[in-house]
Amino acid sequence: MHPKSFRMPDGVPPSLRPLMELFGSDALRVRCIAGETLHEEILYLIRFFRHFDFPDSSEELARVVSPGSISAFLAKYAQEKSPGSIRWMRVSLRAFLRFAYRSALFDRDFSALVPVRSIRQLGTVPRSLPDACIAQLRKGVDRGSPAGLRDSAIICLLAVYGVRGVQIRRLRLDDIDWRKERIHFPAAKGGRPIEQHLTPEAGNLIFEYIRSARPESACAEVFLTLREPFLPLPNASCLSAMVRRRIERLGLVLPDGVSSGTHGFRHAFACRMVGKIPFKELVDQLGHRDPASTLIYSKVDLDGLRQAALPWPGGGQ
């Protein structure tokens, strides 16, 4: 991808846009990352800059960034965010600090201050949105506005099918077969596409949104932004922010460590299905290409694990 084709995310303060343009060009040229990955990294760096009240210039940023301030920011971030968000922040910040040193913005390479945490396969049990919270979200969104019609349809798809947020954003009008009552979600993250029965609730909500609230647009994607120019939803953060706003408006309190983003729906879906459908079917429904990616959810099926466990030799009955 050529650097000129990169679109700067919204929210970057004007004083730091030149620095982010340089960072973006460097990332595309040196690290050869995808434009969507770069877009996500800059969104996380905005959070880092916000911690320092958006310095007025690159020179001021260089003055306020120090080993102590970086460590304090990362410690605070780790207390407030989900593991996935923490990983994104560490990767993004490490890349920026290396770039800043190479570009002589900083006189030292601070990237070593950002921890590199290896995650053991199957090391943790997925944290999902509680079913009661999902039920309140599905019922509580006011569909009296275009935003409500769109958001209620999105939340329904996340809850019913357990798909990724990117699959919601890439869903196209021709991915829905109304006559055969089928819905097709494109592949994501190297996985497989997902094709499912279109449930009456999901079909009705999508149809109501398309008929009454979706703007006229040449875009083929189902879900569009609410303001002109009406474009496909640009990134994962916009979906996560929508879910977070809906949770806050309803006054819902999530358990500690549970993210308010879209992935909590996916974890909840998988946890509900474990032990109720064949494992191969769960792999297909989640769109995993490698069944090992689905094994993590077997840890929540405690009854099944107990039944599968062999008796300890000499331990009695």
Side-chain angles (χ1 to χ4, degrees), residues 82-85 87 125-135 137-138 154-166 168 236 239-241 243-244 247 254-255 257-273 286 297 300:
S82 68
S85 180
R87 288 195 295 274
V125 176
R127 296 175 176 177
S128 59
L129 282 173
D131 287 341
C133 174
I134 294 176
L137 273 172
R138 293 174 68 175
I154 290 174
I155 288 172
C156 177
L157 293 180
L158 289 169
V160 170
Y161 299 106
V163 291
R164 302 179 187 276
V166 65
I168 298 289
L239 272 186
S240 294
V243 173
R244 184 169 57 252
I247 289 174
L254 303 184
V258 175
S259 170
S260 60
T262 60
H263 224 62
F265 290 91
R266 183 170 172 84
H267 291 325
F269 170 83
C271 292
R272 286 196 304 272
M273 295 295 105
L286 292 174
Y297 296 106
V300 304

Side-chain angles (χ1 to χ4, degrees), residues 164 187-193 266 280 283-284 286-294:
R164 302 179 187 276
K189 293 188 68 174
R192 300 178 184 274
R266 183 170 172 84
K280 175 62 169 64
V283 173
D284 293 339
L286 292 174
H288 288 155
R289 190 172 293 276
D290 183 358
S293 301
T294 316

Side-chain angles (χ1 to χ4, degrees), residues 13-14 54 58 60 72 77 79 85 90 141 148-149 189 265 267 284:
F54 290 128
S58 300
E60 184 181 347
Y77 197 87
Q79 292 176 349
S85 180
R90 289 177 176 177
V141 176
L149 288 172
K189 293 188 68 174
F265 290 91
H267 291 325
D284 293 339

Side-chain angles (χ1 to χ4, degrees), residues 19 61 89 91 139-140 147 181 215 233 269-270:
L19 177 61
L61 179 65
M89 177 56 74
V91 169
K139 293 179 181 178
E181 298 181 345
L233 303 178
F269 170 83

